[in-house]
Amino acid sequence: MANAFYRLRTTSAKTPQLIYVGCRFGKDQLIMSTGVKVLPKHWDFEKTKVKNVTTVINKDEINVFLHDLKVFINSTIEKYKLMREPLTKQSLKEEIEDYLNPKPAEVSETLFNYIEKFILEAENGKRLVDNVKRYNQGTIKRFRTTQTLLIDFSVVYSKPVDFDTIDLEFYKEYSLYMVNVKDYKTDTIAKHVRTLKTFLREATEEGINTNLDYQKKAFKVVLKSNEESTSIALNESELLEMCNLDLSETPKLERVRDLFIIGANTGLRFSDFTSIKPENIRKDYDGEFIEIIQYKTKRKVIVPINQTVKTILYKYNNELPKAISNQKFNDYIKEVAKLCQSLHSLEFLSYVKGGKDVKESVERWKMVSSHTARRSFASNAYERGTPVNAIMAITDHKTEKSFLLYIKTSKRKQAEIFRGYQK
C-alpha cells in the first residue's frame, strides 16, 4: 500500500486552493480535503509543501500540520498491517476524519491507542527523553517491537489487553507467552517488560492510567545476572591477527575490518566510530585525539589516538569508509573473523532460552559483531591496568558495577590483576 501524498484542487488558479491528501488502493485511491488552502504559486509541487515565502504568514504551521497528518496516515497503514486487519478506503477515511476532528475527551484512551500515539510523538519529536532530547531510531524500533509483541499476545490472552488488565496475572501469562511461544532469552524478555513499563509509567504520569500493579515487586524485569553473557571480547593478540590480515583482494571486508579495529581501539559505539570525520580529529601538546558528540547519549567524548588508529586514519586521509548498515557490518565482520585462526577456538556458553538452561559451544568468530569492538576496548584497557574511571569516561558507564559486568575478563586474568595489586 502506497504512502500518503498531497495535491491541490487546481494548480493554475489565482486564488487559494484546497490541499487534498490522498492514498492509493491498487487502481483506486482515497482523496480527502485537509481543509487548508494555499495559493498555487506558493506551493512546492515537488516537495508537496508550502514554499518558504514571507507572504505566507502561517507557512510553518501549515507544513507542520501536513507533515503530522502524513505521518499519522502512514502509521495507521502500518498499524493495520501489524494487527493483520484489512484496511479499506472507508476505514482509512474514518481514521483520518477522527484525526482531523477529534472526538470529545470523554472517550477513554486505550492502551494500544496510547502506545501508538506515544511512538508517533517519539518519532516526530513531540515526545522527548527527559524533555530534553529526541528518542533515537534504535529506541523507537524497540518501542515498535514491543508494540507488535503486545498485539500478538492480545490475540491469545483471555482478557482484553488494556490499562485495567495489566496486573500480576497478565504479567505471568505475558512472561509464559514469551518463554513458551516466542522462545525468547531472558534478556529479550527483560527488554519487553522494561519497555511496557515505560509506556505504563508515562501514561500514569499523564493521568491516563490509574492501575499501579506494574509497580509491584513481583512485576519485575528479570535480569540475567546469573547467566554467562553470550557476547565476547577479543584480546590484543586476536585483534593484532585481524589487523594483519591481507584483505586487499576483498575491499569491502578490508573496510569493515579497519572500522572494527578503530572501534576496538577507541571504545566508541558503532554509530560513532562509523561517523568519524576529519573535523573530529584534534591535536594538542600531548598528541592527537578524537572529539565527537555521541549519537546515543548526545554527550561529548574525547579519545586519545594510538598508533593503530593513526595508521588507519592516515590510510583513508582521515575520511573513514562510508558506513553500511549494522546488519551488513555484522555479516562482513564475521567473514573477517573467520579468517583469523585464533578465533576458531570454542567459547562455552550457558544461558536460559525458552525457560530452559542451554549449554553450547560456539566458535568464537561466529560471535563477533560490531559491538565486540567496544567490549574489546574496555576489557583490554582494564587488563592493562587502566584506571576504571578513565575507561568509564570513554565507555560512558554510569557505575563501576555496570562496567565490571560489561567487560569480558577471564577469571584467571582477574586473579593476575589482583595479585599485581598485592605486591
Side-chain angles (χ1 to χ4, degrees):
M1 191 172 291
N3 290 335
F5 59 86
Y6 290 111
R7 63 173 54 163
L8 297 189
R9 180 175 184 179
T10 303
T11 60
S12 58
K14 303 299 182 182
T15 57
Q17 297 296 300
L18 279 170
I19 302 173
Y20 286 85
V21 65
C23 186
R24 291 185 177 85
F25 285 77
K27 295 181 179 180
D28 199 3
Q29 60 184 3
L30 169 68
I31 301 291
M32 292 181 63
S33 170
T34 64
V36 178
K37 292 183 178 182
V38 66
L39 275 171
K41 69 177 183 179
H42 293 155
W43 181 252
D44 188 325
F45 288 92
E46 182 179 349
K47 297 180 180 180
T48 62
K49 68 176 186 177
V50 181
K51 293 178 180 177
N52 187 21
V53 289
T54 56
T55 51
V56 182
I57 299 175
N58 298 322
K59 63 179 182 300
D60 292 334
E61 290 85 348
I62 295 173
N63 285 334
V64 168
F65 165 76
L66 295 175
H67 172 270
D68 290 351
L69 176 57
K70 191 171 184 179
V71 169
F72 170 78
I73 294 172
N74 292 337
S75 298
T76 299
I77 294 170
E78 186 62 27
K79 179 180 71 174
Y80 274 77
K81 286 182 181 178
L82 291 173
M83 297 176 66
R84 299 181 180 87
E85 292 184 9
L87 180 60
T88 64
K89 281 178 59 176
Q90 183 60 33
S91 58
L92 180 58
K93 180 181 179 183
E94 291 173 358
E95 293 272 6
I96 296 173
E97 287 175 343
D98 288 343
Y99 177 84
L100 296 175
N101 303 288
K103 294 179 180 179
E106 67 265 12
V107 178
S108 61
E109 182 96 70
T110 67
L111 174 64
F112 286 121
N113 284 344
Y114 177 79
I115 291 175
E116 179 62 23
K117 184 178 73 173
F118 183 105
I119 298 174
L120 285 176
E121 291 177 350
E123 289 174 335
N124 63 32
K126 288 186 176 180
R127 182 180 294 271
L128 303 174
V129 182
D130 298 327
N131 293 318
V132 295
K133 65 178 182 179
R134 295 188 66 153
Y135 286 94
N136 62 50
Q137 290 303 309
T139 301
I140 293 172
K141 183 178 179 181
R142 172 165 55 83
F143 290 160
R144 285 288 182 199
T145 304
T146 297
Q147 178 192 41
T148 302
L149 178 67
L150 285 166
I151 291 171
D152 290 344
F153 175 68
S154 69
V155 176
V156 299
Y157 191 45
S158 58
K159 300 178 183 178
V161 176
D162 212 336
F163 287 116
D164 60 343
T165 64
I166 305 296
D167 52 19
L168 294 181
E169 180 186 348
F170 165 89
Y171 172 79
K172 177 183 176 181
E173 294 298 324
Y174 186 47
S175 299
L176 287 172
Y177 178 76
M178 288 188 281
V179 169
N180 297 327
V181 178
K182 293 297 186 178
D183 198 30
Y184 285 160
K185 290 183 180 180
T186 306
D187 56 340
T188 303
I189 295 173
K191 177 189 69 175
H192 287 299
V193 173
R194 186 182 296 111
T195 304
L196 172 60
K197 294 184 81 164
T198 295
F199 295 144
L200 295 172
R201 182 175 62 253
E202 293 288 313
T204 301
E205 291 180 359
E206 293 170 26
I208 295 171
N209 175 52
T210 58
N211 177 11
L212 303 182
D213 279 10
Y214 75 94
Q215 296 181 356
K216 291 182 177 178
K217 186 176 181 180
F219 202 120
K220 59 186 177 181
V221 176
V222 179
L223 301 177
K224 58 173 185 176
S225 56
N226 294 325
E227 299 177 36
E228 290 292 330
S229 172
T230 55
S231 58
I232 63 170
L234 306 191
N235 60 42
E236 292 183 334
S237 63
E238 290 169 332
L239 288 172
L240 181 61
E241 181 184 1
M242 181 181 288
C243 196
N244 289 335
L245 289 174
D246 182 2
L247 300 173
S248 56
E249 297 297 318
T250 50
K252 70 178 183 181
L253 296 186
E254 183 176 30
R255 292 191 293 269
V256 165
R257 184 273 310 275
D258 291 345
L259 286 170
F260 182 89
I261 294 299
I262 290 282
N265 282 271
T266 61
L268 296 173
R269 296 180 178 86
F270 173 79
S271 56
D272 296 326
F273 71 70
T274 56
S275 302
I276 297 173
K277 299 289 187 296
E279 57 265 29
N280 299 125
I281 313 301
R282 307 290 180 84
K283 276 187 179 182
D284 63 12
Y285 52 85
D286 286 327
E288 292 182 285
F289 58 91
I290 295 170
E291 182 175 316
I292 194 169
I293 301 297
Q294 299 172 95
Y295 175 78
K296 180 178 181 180
T297 66
K298 302 299 183 286
R299 287 190 287 270
K300 181 169 70 175
V301 64
I302 299 175
V303 187
I305 295 176
N306 63 19
Q307 188 57 49
T308 300
V309 174
K310 188 179 297 186
T311 300
I312 295 175
L313 289 173
Y314 179 79
K315 175 180 178 181
Y316 294 100
N317 196 26
N318 286 351
E319 192 75 50
L320 292 177
K322 185 178 179 181
I324 56 177
S325 70
N326 203 341
Q327 182 177 350
K328 275 292 184 185
F329 187 98
N330 288 337
D331 291 339
Y332 292 159
I333 196 61
K334 283 179 174 59
E335 291 185 43
V336 173
K338 190 176 182 180
L339 298 173
C340 299
Q341 291 303 311
S342 59
L343 294 177
H344 282 261
S345 61
L346 294 177
E347 189 81 13
F348 297 94
L349 307 178
S350 175
Y351 55 89
V352 175
K353 183 180 181 183
K356 299 177 182 178
D357 290 321
V358 177
K359 296 183 185 299
E360 63 174 334
S361 58
V362 180
E363 288 183 285
R364 283 170 62 78
W365 68 265
K366 295 180 180 179
M367 302 174 65
V368 177
S369 69
S370 62
H371 193 72
T372 306
R374 178 172 159 83
R375 197 181 292 269
S376 300
F377 168 85
S379 302
N380 291 328
Y382 177 76
E383 292 185 3
R384 287 195 298 270
T386 308
V388 170
N389 61 338
I391 308 173
M392 289 170 58
I394 294 174
T395 61
D396 211 30
H397 285 88
K398 297 297 182 296
T399 66
E400 187 171 338
K401 180 180 178 181
S402 65
F403 170 79
L404 293 175
L405 288 172
Y406 178 77
I407 62 174
K408 302 294 293 183
T409 301
S410 68
K411 303 292 185 184
R412 183 182 183 86
K413 189 66 181 180
Q414 287 177 339
E416 291 175 4
I417 294 171
F418 181 77
R419 185 184 293 118
Y421 281 102
Q422 288 183 316
K423 295 178 181 179

